[in-house]
Amino acid sequence: MNAQFLSASDTSQNSVKKYQRIIKSNKEIVDFIEYSLAEKGLPRHLRNLALIESHFNRNITSRAGAVGVWQFMISHANQYGLSEQNRNDLYKSTKTAVVSLSNLYKKYNNWVTVVAAYNCGEGNIAKAMNTAGSSQYHVFYKYLPNETINHVQKYLNASFATGELQAVLENYNSSRINTVFLTGSRAKKHSSNLSETDINAGFNLNIIADELDVEMHEILAWNPGINEELQSKGESTLYLPTDLMPDFLLRKTKILSRSIKEGNTINTKQ
C-alpha cells in the first residue's frame, strides 16, 4: 500500500509471542473487553489499545498521571462522566472507553486516526491536519508528537500479533478511498453542493471552523490544499456547503477580527 508507515515494524517472533502471552494471561479481562466492544458494534481488535496502553493492568499509573487499563487522564475521564477514582475500575472504565472510541470513530472514520487521537487528544489531531492540509493520517502524522506516532505503530504491531493487522489496514484504506472521492467531488468549483467565496491569509481556518461549528477536518476536506495556497499566494477560494455560506458571510468580519486578535496560525509547524 502507498502509506509505507502502515506496516508492522516489530514483527519478530519474540514480540508476537510477548503480546500473545499477555492476552492469554489476562483472558477474563480480554473476554470482558471484547464483549463490551462487540456489544456496541466495535471491532475486537480495539482490545489491543488496552494491551499497549497498560498490558491490561488496572492498577497502573503512567508518569503523566493516566490510570487503569485504558489509561484515562482526569480530563478525558471527566469528559465522559468517569470519576477520577473509577479510572481503575475495569467495568466502568471499559464502558467509558467504548463510548469514547465510538465517538472518535464517528469523527475520523478510521481506526488508525482514532488510536492517534486517543493518545494525544483531538486538539493535536486538528493542529496536525491543519498544518499538513490533509485529514488523512499518512499525510499529517509527521506533525504529531513522536510518542503518538510510536503509539500507533505499537497498535499496528499488536494487531499483527493478533492476526488483525489486515483488517485495520483495510479499514484505513477504505477510509482513504472514500475521503479522496469525497474531497475530489466536493472541491469542484461548480459543485451544486458547495458555494465559494474568497479569503486571504489573514483568516485562521480553526476560527472559521469554530464560528461555523464544524470540525477542522471537514474544512480541509472541502478545501484540499487551501493551506498551501494561502501561504504561497496570500489568498484562496474557500468552499463551504451552500447552507453554511450565509453564516460565514454574516460572520466574516468577526472571523477576520478574531483571526487577527488571536493570532493567525494557518499552516504553522508546531
Side-chain angles (χ1 to χ4, degrees), residues 61-218:
T61 300
S62 74
R63 286 177 296 178
V67 170
V69 168
W70 294 97
Q71 288 291 280
F72 274 105
M73 297 292 288
I74 293 176
S75 58
H76 189 187
N78 289 343
Q79 181 182 351
Y80 288 94
L82 180 69
S83 71
E84 178 180 350
Q85 295 75 18
N86 285 330
R87 288 181 295 162
N88 58 5
D89 182 299
L90 176 64
Y91 178 84
K92 293 179 180 178
S93 67
T94 297
K95 294 300 183 184
T96 302
V98 166
V99 174
S100 175
L101 292 168
S102 180
N103 287 345
L104 289 173
Y105 189 77
K106 290 175 184 176
K107 183 172 185 176
Y108 299 119
N109 200 37
N110 74 83
W111 295 117
V112 172
T113 305
V114 166
V115 170
Y118 191 91
N119 177 261
C120 69
E122 296 170 54
N124 281 320
I125 297 295
K127 289 178 183 178
M129 287 181 174
N130 187 23
T131 302
S134 173
S135 61
Q136 298 187 46
Y137 182 87
H138 72 283
V139 177
F140 72 75
Y141 81 99
K142 64 187 71 174
Y143 300 108
L144 293 174
N146 287 333
E147 176 191 345
T148 300
I149 297 172
N150 292 334
H151 200 69
V152 171
Q153 190 62 60
K154 286 181 182 178
Y155 189 83
L156 298 175
N157 294 339
S159 295
F160 176 84
T162 58
E164 296 162 310
L165 178 61
Q166 191 61 36
V168 176
L169 298 185
E170 287 177 357
N171 168 264
Y172 180 74
N173 274 334
S174 175
S175 172
R176 284 182 63 202
I177 291 170
N178 290 337
T179 300
V180 170
F181 175 77
L182 188 61
T183 56
S185 62
R186 280 178 170 175
K188 292 178 182 177
K189 289 188 176 182
H190 303 293
S191 169
S192 60
N193 296 321
L194 290 179
S195 296
E196 63 183 77
T197 188
D198 293 326
I199 63 171
N200 59 43
F203 284 85
N204 183 321
L205 297 181
N206 287 304
I207 292 175
I208 292 176
D210 181 57
E211 287 286 338
L212 297 180
D213 194 25
V214 299
E215 301 295 339
M216 187 62 204
H217 68 87
E218 293 179 291

Side-chain angles (χ1 to χ4, degrees), residues 31-44 46 98:
D31 285 348
F32 171 71
I33 290 174
E34 290 185 353
Y35 174 82
S36 299
L37 291 167
E39 191 177 32
K40 295 299 182 181
L42 302 183
R44 286 181 169 84
L46 288 174
V98 166

Side-chain angles (χ1 to χ4, degrees), residues 2-46:
N2 294 330
Q4 294 180 357
F5 72 92
L6 286 174
S7 62
S9 62
D10 185 14
T11 56
S12 67
Q13 280 298 106
N14 287 339
S15 298
V16 169
K17 289 180 178 178
K18 173 188 173 184
Y19 284 130
Q20 291 173 343
R21 184 172 62 253
I22 294 171
I23 289 174
K24 186 176 180 179
S25 62
N26 291 276
K27 188 176 186 308
E28 289 186 4
I29 293 177
V30 171
D31 285 348
F32 171 71
I33 290 174
E34 290 185 353
Y35 174 82
S36 299
L37 291 167
E39 191 177 32
K40 295 299 182 181
L42 302 183
R44 286 181 169 84
H45 64 69
L46 288 174

